[in-house]
Amino acid sequence: MHKHNFYAGPSILSQYTIKNTAEAVIDFAGTGLSILEVSHRSKEFVAVMEEARALVKELLEVPDGYSVLFLGGGASLQFCMVPFNLLARKAAYMETGTWAVNAIKEARLFGEVDVVASSKDANFNYIPKGFTVPQDADYFHYTSNNTIYGTEIRHDLDAGKVRLVCDMSSDIFSRPVDVSKYDVIYAGAQKNLAPAGATIVIVREDALGHVERPIPTMLDYRTHIKKDSMFNTPPVLPIFSALQTLRWYKEQGGVKELEKRDIAKADLLYEAIDSSRMFEGTVKDHADRSIMNVCFVMKPEYKELEKEFVDFAAARGIVGIKGHRSVGGFRASLYNALPIESVRALVEAMNEFQSSH
Ligand SMILES: *Cc1c(COP(=O)(O)O)cnc(C)c1O
């Protein structure tokens, strides 16, 4: 039975990505070898890396002066790599969820951290507004999409003359981004790009070299810039899959088109939630609602039916909708590869369940 995959990460990938990856596991680029067993220095894999890098640049219109890296270690390694490379004295952070909290914890190992805004007081169910970023901070870090809580900042923030750093793990490639405003953008691949194991980092080269501390070779962005992400063995398979997704994104019409579809999917689901007598969204301010991760619960009078609905949906091939334990209820992740038909199936299941109770 075909499944409707709403997992938050690792998560749905395009069939194009999965089929081409499966093929390359058997025979990679006509080499007679599996992608699992070729040298990362082979000309065939170097070509994969080069095309993947070029497509990231093309799709996100990355300007000159920036490097695109494919690293290991997940987005979580960037929580320490960013301050290691950029924090000389003080950094400003926005606290909008667990991932931001983790990033703040690492930054504190390297210097003073000014948490300029937080939504912790309401279990991170909104995006703080009206804060100011101290202009003497080395950089300002924020999370554009809060995967666990379903809030999103769908525009580029402005921190004045302070360098901007953004964790875009769960919404990269879901909208056009003005990369020139940022010094570092990073994203784990397993939400909107590829299987787990690779992390994209887009870094402005002249933001580096301003801290005095020694930086371990592997944690120094300059190492990976100099060696085109080939200083050591990169995550070969996830990068191959990432390339397939990037090709598919381009063929679909690029990030503007993906954004249009993502908005249509999210509108459909939020409308069903808002017009329901049984379900309610956990993020009340529509402007703060994520188009990638839609979080909702059952109203108090139906609360005890939550488990039953998960099973009801599963019987219809709908998987991955259980909410994160810190929010409860449901979370439907609507990443780029999820077809709108899957959202329709979920909405139908919600309506049916509601009519039968
Ligand atoms: C999933 C996620 C992370 C953690 O990613 P890892 O690759 O598992 O380290 C960090 N930030 C955000 C916004 C995420 O969604």
Side-chain angles (χ1 to χ4, degrees), residues 74-76 79 99 143 145 147 167 169-170 190-191:
S76 298
F79 297 161
W99 301 119
T143 317
N145 184 66
T147 323
D167 175 359
S169 289
S170 50
Q190 72 273 25
K191 310 284 167 51

